[in-house]
Amino acid sequence: MHQTLLLCISLLLAVSLFVMLGQRLRIPVPIFLVLSGLVVSWIPGVPRISIDPDLIFLIFLPPLLYEAAWYTSWKEFWRWRRIIVVLAFGLVVFTAFAVAYVSQALIPGFTMALGFLLGGIISPPDAVAASSVLKEIKVPKRVINILEGESLVNDAASLVVFRFALAAIVSGSFVWKDAATGFFSVTIFGIGVGLGVAGVFYVVHRWLPATTRINILMTFMAPYVMYLAAEELHVSGVMAVVSGGLFLSYHRHQIFNHTVRIQGAGMWATVVFALNGLVFILIGLELPVIVNGLDGYSKGEVIWYAIVITLLVIVTRMVVVMFTSIFTRIVGGVIPVAERRPGWRGPIIVGWAGMRGVVSLASALSIPLTLDTGAAFPHRNLILFITFIVILVTLVFQGLTLPYIIRKVNYADPDHLASEHEQIAAIRKKLLQVALIQLEENHSDKVITNELIANLKNRMEDDLYLQTNHLEAVVLDEEKMAEYNEVFADIVAAKRKELYQLRHRNEFDDEVIRKEEAWIDLEQEKINHSVH
C-alpha cells in the first residue's frame, strides 16, 4: 500500500516537473510527457509499470470524456455534425477495414478478425494531444471544433469495432449482421442511458437544495454513474458519458450558480490536468514492458510491421479527409452543408492532426491473455507493440510537425470572426447597455430614492464608457490596449500588496481578507484573459 502511494505521488511530481520543463522548452505537453516517460523507463532501477486497462477505462476515461463534452460548443458541434459523424464513424470503420486487409496480407498468421481488432484499437485520434498542440498556434476555430467534436464520439465507434472483433476472436465465430446491428444498438442505447442519467442529475441539481461542495462533488460522480450504468446494460459507456455531459453542459446555467461554476471549473481543471498527465507519462513508461513481451519476433520484423501500419493509418486519414472535402463540394448544391467549398487547407490540418493516445493504448492492454479454449491469445504482444509505435509516431512526429504544416498551409479564418479581444469587449458593452436599460425602465424611481442604486447606475455608466474606449483601442491600437492592461495589472498588484499589509492588522478578520482576495483574483483573471 505504501509503495503504491509512493509511486502515485512520484508520478504526479514527475508530471508536474515535466510539464513545467515542457512549457519552458515550448514543447506540447502530451508529446513531452510521452518522451519523458520513455526516457525515464530506460533508467536503471526504475520499476517496471504495467498499466491495468480497467484503470484507464473506469478511472481515467469517464472524467476526461465528461470534461471534454462539458466544454464542447453544442452550437459548433451541431453546425459541423455531418463532417464530425463522417470522421468519427465512417473514418473509424474505414480505417479498421484498411488495417484489417493490410495486416492480414503483411503479417504471417494474422487473420481478418485480428486485423479488425488492431484497426479498432488504433483508429481513434486523441483530442487532448491535438488541442494541446493547436492551443499555442493561431488556427481557425472551425478546425478545433471539428477535431474536438470528432474525438468526442470516435472513441465509441472504435471501441464498438474493438468489442465485436475481440468477441469473434475469443469465441471463434463472427456474424456480420449481428455486428452491424450491435454497432448501432450499443451506440443509440448508450446515448439513451447517458441522457437518462443526466436527466436524473438535472432534477437533483435543479430542485434539491445543495451546497456548493455537494454540487461540485456530484459533477465528479456523474460521469462514473453514466459510464457504469451503460456498461452494466452492455451498451456504449463512452457515448453515455458524452451525451450526458453535453446535456448537462447545455443546461449548466439553470442548475448551477456562479459560485459552483467558478469553484467547479478550478477543481475540474486540476483533476483533468493530473489525469491527462498521468496517462501520457504512463504511455512512455509502458514501452519496456511491451518490448519484453516480444519473444518469438525479430526486432526488424516487428518494427517493419509497425511502420507500415502507422503509415497506413496516417495516409488513410489524409485520403478520407480530402475525399470528404471534394464530396462536400459536389453534394453541397443538393443538401445543406455548413461549408459548401471547404477547400484543401483546412482538411490538410484536420487530416494531419490525427494523433493517437490513451484510448488506443487502453484498448490494446485490455486484450485478454487467453482465448475461451485456454490457448494463448494470438499475436497479443505484437498488437501491443504496433499500437505503441502508432501512438508514438503519430503523437511525436505529427504533433511536432503540425505547427509547421499549419504555417505552410496558411489557412486564413474563413468565418471572418473578430478577434477574441474584440468579441469580449463587444459582449461586455452589450451587457452593460442591457443592464442600464433594465435599470432605467424598471427601477428609475429607486435610482432617485436609493443612493446605493444610484451609485450602481453611475458605476455601470462609467464601465460602459471605459468599455467603449477599450473596444476602440482593441480595434484601432493594439499598443494602447497593451498599455491599458499593463496599468490595470499594476493597480491590481498595488491592491494585492496593500491587502497583504492589512492581513497583519488586528482590526480585519482573516475571512473578510480572503473574500476580498478572491475579488482581486477575479480582477487578475480578467487581465490574464485579456492578455492571452
Side-chain angles (χ1 to χ4, degrees):
M1 184 66 181
H2 288 79
Q3 291 181 342
T4 303
L5 179 60
L6 179 61
L7 178 61
C8 292
I9 293 175
S10 301
L11 285 175
L12 286 173
L13 180 60
V15 166
S16 301
L17 293 175
F18 287 140
V19 167
M20 288 187 286
L21 182 58
Q23 290 174 340
R24 185 66 178 267
L25 298 175
R26 294 187 174 275
I27 300 175
V29 170
I31 298 173
F32 193 76
L33 285 175
V34 170
L35 293 176
S36 300
L38 199 59
V39 172
V40 170
S41 68
W42 294 107
I43 297 177
V46 173
R48 295 291 178 254
I49 299 177
S50 183
I51 304 175
D52 184 354
D54 290 337
L55 189 69
I56 301 294
F57 282 124
L58 296 180
I59 305 299
F60 288 81
L61 197 57
L64 293 178
L65 287 171
Y66 189 78
E67 193 262 353
W70 190 268
Y71 289 105
T72 294
S73 168
W74 176 251
K75 178 179 67 176
E76 295 299 325
F77 185 89
W78 185 252
R79 178 188 179 190
W80 302 107
R81 62 191 182 278
R82 290 183 177 85
I83 183 62
I84 288 173
V85 169
V86 169
L87 295 178
F89 291 95
L91 179 56
V92 164
V93 175
F94 187 82
T95 302
F97 269 97
V99 172
Y101 279 102
V102 172
S103 59
Q104 182 191 30
L106 180 68
I107 305 172
F110 221 71
T111 64
M112 199 69 169
L114 284 170
F116 273 111
L117 181 70
L118 178 60
I121 290 171
I122 62 178
S123 56
D126 184 86
V128 177
S131 298
S132 299
V133 175
L134 294 173
K135 189 184 299 182
E136 307 298 330
I137 308 169
K138 187 176 181 180
V139 63
K141 289 290 291 183
R142 63 166 57 184
V143 172
I144 299 175
N145 290 327
I146 290 173
L147 290 171
E148 290 180 346
E150 175 197 3
S151 66
L152 271 180
V153 291
N154 65 4
D155 291 340
S158 66
L159 290 175
V160 170
V161 172
F162 168 79
R163 176 184 296 179
F164 282 103
L166 182 62
I169 297 168
V170 172
S171 64
S173 63
F174 185 79
V175 181
W176 281 103
K177 182 179 179 181
D178 293 342
T181 304
F183 180 89
F184 289 105
S185 64
V186 298
T187 301
I188 294 172
F189 285 113
I191 294 173
V193 171
L195 293 176
V197 174
V200 174
F201 275 90
Y202 173 87
V203 171
V204 171
H205 284 301
R206 184 76 187 274
W207 302 112
L208 293 182
T211 64
T212 298
R213 292 180 177 86
I214 292 175
N215 276 317
I216 295 175
L217 178 61
M218 291 184 66
T219 65
F220 283 104
M221 292 188 291
Y224 292 106
V225 175
M226 295 170 188
Y227 187 87
L228 291 173
E231 290 297 315
E232 284 295 318
L233 296 173
H234 304 290
V235 295
S236 175
V238 172
M239 289 307 301
V241 175
V242 169
S243 59
L246 286 172
F247 176 84
L248 291 176
S249 173
Y250 186 79
H251 294 285
R252 64 183 180 271
H253 65 287
Q254 297 175 335
I255 57 179
F256 297 134
N257 59 31
H258 64 284
T259 305
V260 175
R261 289 194 294 269
I262 292 174
Q263 295 187 16
M267 293 186 66
W268 265 97
T270 303
V271 170
V272 168
F273 163 78
L275 293 178
N276 275 323
L278 287 173
V279 164
F280 282 106
I281 198 171
L282 285 172
I283 290 175
L285 290 170
E286 186 71 11
L287 179 61
V289 178
I290 295 174
V291 172
N292 290 337
L294 285 175
D295 297 334
Y297 301 97
S298 69
K299 292 183 180 179
E301 285 180 335
V302 295
I303 292 174
W304 168 247
Y305 299 152
I307 291 175
V308 171
I309 298 298
T310 301
L311 291 176
L312 173 67
V313 168
I314 295 173
V315 172
T316 299
R317 179 176 177 86
M318 293 298 298
V319 170
V320 171
V321 171
M322 296 306 296
F323 175 79
T324 302
S325 175
I326 298 172
F327 183 76
T328 300
R329 186 169 184 173
I330 295 173
V331 302
V334 181
I335 61 175
V337 293
E339 177 60 70
R340 185 175 177 180
R341 297 178 182 274
W344 58 272
R345 290 181 170 86
I348 283 182
I349 299 174
V350 172
W352 196 251
M355 293 162 278
R356 272 58 180 177
V358 55
V359 173
S360 295
L361 183 63
S363 300
L365 291 169
S366 66
I367 298 174
L369 296 174
T370 60
L371 304 174
D372 288 347
T373 60
F377 196 98
H379 300 285
R380 183 181 188 274
N381 293 327
L382 178 60
I383 293 174
L384 283 173
F385 181 78
I386 292 175
T387 301
F388 182 87
I389 296 301
V390 170
I391 294 172
L392 185 64
V393 173
T394 58
L395 190 61
V396 176
F397 174 65
Q398 287 186 279
L400 291 177
T401 56
L402 184 58
Y404 175 80
I405 296 293
I406 292 174
R407 287 193 295 269
K408 284 298 181 181
V409 167
N410 192 23
Y411 185 36
D413 192 345
D415 296 320
H416 305 294
L417 294 176
S419 70
E420 184 175 348
H421 297 308
E422 293 177 77
Q423 292 184 55
I424 291 173
I427 289 173
R428 290 174 181 171
K429 180 180 177 181
K430 290 181 182 296
L431 294 179
L432 285 168
Q433 289 173 335
V434 169
L436 285 170
I437 292 173
Q438 184 76 4
L439 195 61
E440 289 287 350
E441 292 182 350
N442 298 326
H443 307 286
S444 57
D445 56 328
K446 298 173 186 175
V447 173
I448 300 174
T449 59
N450 190 322
E451 62 181 12
L452 293 176
I453 299 176
N455 289 335
L456 173 64
K457 179 175 181 291
N458 292 333
R459 189 165 69 249
M460 287 194 298
E461 288 175 340
D462 290 341
D463 287 344
L464 179 59
Y465 174 76
L466 291 173
Q467 201 58 241
T468 301
N469 289 340
H470 183 72
L471 180 59
E472 292 174 356
V474 169
V475 176
L476 300 177
D477 194 341
E478 288 289 337
E479 292 184 3
K480 286 185 178 180
M481 189 188 72
E483 188 177 42
Y484 169 84
N485 288 331
E486 182 181 352
V487 172
F488 193 39
D490 186 58
I491 292 172
V492 171
K495 288 182 179 180
R496 195 181 296 280
K497 182 178 179 180
E498 179 64 22
L499 190 66
Y500 178 78
Q501 299 295 330
L502 295 177
R503 188 188 300 274
H504 299 287
R505 297 172 60 174
N506 293 330
E507 63 261 38
F508 297 108
D509 188 78
D510 272 351
E511 184 177 356
V512 177
I513 293 288
R514 280 194 293 269
K515 288 182 178 179
E516 190 59 30
E517 189 176 37
W519 280 108
I520 294 178
D521 289 339
L522 289 176
E523 288 186 308
Q524 189 73 51
E525 184 63 24
K526 289 180 182 179
I527 299 172
N528 294 337
H529 187 71
S530 178
V531 171
H532 298 294

